Every structure is written in C-alpha cells, then in structure tokens.
Amino acid sequence: MRKLVRKGRFVTAATVGAAVAYFADPDNGRSRRVRAKDQLGAMMRRRRREAEQLSRHTANVAAGEAAQARGAGEPKPVDDVDVVHAVKQALSELGVPTSDLTVDVVEGTAALRGQVPSEEDKTKVEQAVGRVPGVQRVESWLHLPGQPAPNKASALQAS
C-alpha cells in the first residue's frame, strides 16, 4: 500500500513539475500561459452560456406547461356556429361514419340527431362531442339502424 501511495505522489509531482516547466519555459512560456488563460476563459464563457440557455429553456417549458394547464392553445369558440364547426371537426377525426348525423348547438347545448352503426359508435360520438370546448351539455337523439329515433317514439306510439 505504501508503494502505491509513493507512486501516486511521484506521478503527481512529476505532472506538476512538467506543467511548471511547460509554462515557465523562458522561450515559449509566456505565449503558452496567455493561450491557456484565453482557452480557459473561452471554456468558462461557453459553460456559462450553456447554463443560461438551459435555464431559459427550462423556464420556458414550465411556462408553456402552466399555460396549457390554464387552457391556452385550445380553441375557445365565440358563438354557437363556431362550436358547431368544432364539433364537426371532432366528429371527422373519430373514424365513425357521421354522414347521417345532424348537430345543433344552442347556448352550449349540443343536440345530436341521426343514425349510427353501433352502440359503441354512439358512445364514441357522445363522448367526443362532450369534450369539445364550448359544449356544456349533450342531448343525444342518436339511434341504431332499424330503430325509431328517440324523439319520434312518442309520436309513433300515438298513431
């Protein structure tokens, strides 16, 4: 163990001695010291700039996440016509045939009428419409093929 410690000290002393000889050289020592100082200063400036960039990036990401949490970036429909357009856009992204659907929006209440292929599709449509900004309530008059429309059931029974 002592031999290892002695070897370590020797290597350290030799390294320090070589560095002193390199920088204290009478012919090139001054230019080497100046160059080393300039390179060290440049490295410190680069590290400081990278740290500032990382700090700004982190602050901007946090600000963006806070803005998203407050609802920024989501469309905020101004009137019922805008809400209808937003609902139709949401329905077009579902992958459910919606050509037989009619959408009406009055004061935040979306009324859905028409025929959908399955109960699962009916649920998908109702949930998608409920998530649209500007829709506070969904009235579903959707029905499956071969079934009467829910809003026509009482009229059919009366006749």
Side-chain angles (χ1 to χ4, degrees), residues 8 39 41 46 61 66 96 135:
Q39 288 175 345
R46 269 194 307 273
V61 167
V96 175
V135 174

Side-chain angles (χ1 to χ4, degrees), residues 54 59 90 101:
L54 180 61
L101 298 184

Side-chain angles (χ1 to χ4, degrees), residues 20-142:
V20 168
Y22 180 78
F23 288 113
D25 178 29
D27 295 329
N28 296 319
R30 179 167 166 71
S31 65
R32 290 175 181 165
R33 288 189 302 272
V34 170
R35 190 174 342 122
K37 179 183 164 201
D38 289 346
Q39 288 175 345
L40 181 62
M43 183 183 71
M44 297 295 285
R45 287 188 298 276
R46 269 194 307 273
R47 297 295 181 260
R48 185 174 49 241
R49 188 171 50 245
E50 289 170 358
E52 288 170 355
Q53 287 173 346
L54 180 61
S55 174
R56 277 193 312 271
H57 174 72
T58 304
N60 290 337
V61 167
E65 289 174 353
Q68 275 187 329
R70 289 189 310 269
E74 293 183 15
K76 293 179 178 54
V78 178
D79 58 10
D80 291 339
V81 175
D82 289 341
V83 176
V84 169
H85 291 301
V87 167
K88 288 183 179 182
Q89 177 66 33
L91 292 177
S92 70
E93 296 170 358
L94 275 182
V96 175
T98 57
S99 60
D100 293 337
L101 298 184
T102 303
V103 178
D104 295 317
V105 177
V106 177
E107 296 179 9
T109 300
L112 304 173
R113 292 179 178 81
Q115 179 174 296
V116 289
S118 68
E119 195 67 41
E120 180 182 311
D121 291 338
K122 179 180 171 184
T123 304
K124 280 183 187 179
V125 167
E126 291 167 350
Q127 289 175 349
V129 171
R131 287 190 300 265
V132 171
V135 174
Q136 282 105 29
R137 195 167 74 99
V138 177
E139 287 182 2
S140 178
W141 303 105
L142 300 176

